[in-house]
Amino acid sequence: MIKPPRSYYDAEFGEMRIEDNYWTLVQCAVLGDRRVPICVDFEQGQIGELSSLQREAIRQALALPPDVLRITAPIVLQNYDVYRDMIGDQEMPLLANPIQIWDQVTFSYIYVPPHVEYDLHIATFELMAKCDWEPEHGLEVRFRNGVADNADQIGETGR
């Protein structure tokens, strides 16, 4: 029986290793002071098959600006506020400064989906995280063309 490869070397992004059923780049994205792994699903499940949009999404994830958390905070805070209003939880404090939202978030990884399978026409990646206000479903922040445009519970963000 032939064992599938556990690592792959990409000429642009370097080594990738299979971890938890995802191909994970050895190099990480940097969000604020945190290093976040980048996980990729190859197009059509073929090892080494990255579409041009996936490549662009990975480049964008690796080149996030130093103030990405400040820029993205209002979108995540909006998710927090909607959730807070929906469940009427007085235990969830109003946050005076949007940047405080990141104190309640633990980054898991950045996910680069197969663009062809999802019929995505814009370079897209998703920041997957755990969040204090919805521990069961976590948080997914979608970036399109390197800019966060949606935050919702994991699996709920529209494609």
Side-chain angles (χ1 to χ4, degrees), residues 70-84:
R70 183 188 58 75
I71 294 167
T72 308
I75 290 171
V76 177
L77 182 61
Q78 181 180 16
N79 175 263
Y80 174 88
D81 287 343
V82 165
Y83 193 82
R84 182 180 183 277

Side-chain angles (χ1 to χ4, degrees), residues 49-116:
E49 292 289 323
L50 292 171
S51 69
S52 59
L53 286 171
Q54 279 184 303
R55 288 188 175 282
E56 184 58 28
I58 294 168
R59 284 184 212 109
Q60 292 168 359
L62 290 169
L64 288 169
D67 60 348
V68 66
L69 295 180
R70 183 188 58 75
I71 294 167
T72 308
I75 290 171
V76 177
L77 182 61
Q78 181 180 16
N79 175 263
Y80 174 88
D81 287 343
V82 165
Y83 193 82
R84 182 180 183 277
D85 292 346
M86 184 176 67
I87 64 172
D89 191 342
Q90 306 317 315
E91 307 265 324
M92 294 174 65
L94 283 171
L95 301 177
N97 185 336
I99 199 77
Q100 293 174 319
I101 196 67
W102 296 116
D103 296 337
Q104 298 185 38
V105 175
T106 304
F107 301 141
S108 298
Y109 58 93
I110 288 174
Y111 173 64
V112 180
H115 284 55
V116 171

Side-chain angles (χ1 to χ4, degrees), residues 4-78:
R6 305 286 305 157
S7 68
Y8 170 77
Y9 182 83
D10 182 83
E12 182 175 3
F13 302 116
E15 188 175 357
M16 298 181 196
R17 297 184 187 130
I18 191 85
E19 294 176 10
D20 298 326
N21 296 324
Y22 288 113
W23 287 93
T24 304
L25 277 71
V26 169
Q27 60 179 319
C28 292
V30 176
L31 283 83
D33 61 353
R34 305 176 215 182
R35 295 174 53 79
V36 182
I38 300 173
C39 301
V40 178
D41 265 348
F42 288 118
E43 295 290 358
Q44 312 296 329
Q46 299 297 313
I47 297 171
E49 292 289 323
L50 292 171
S51 69
S52 59
L53 286 171
Q54 279 184 303
R55 288 188 175 282
E56 184 58 28
I58 294 168
R59 284 184 212 109
Q60 292 168 359
L62 290 169
L64 288 169
D67 60 348
V68 66
L69 295 180
R70 183 188 58 75
I71 294 167
T72 308
I75 290 171
V76 177
L77 182 61
Q78 181 180 16

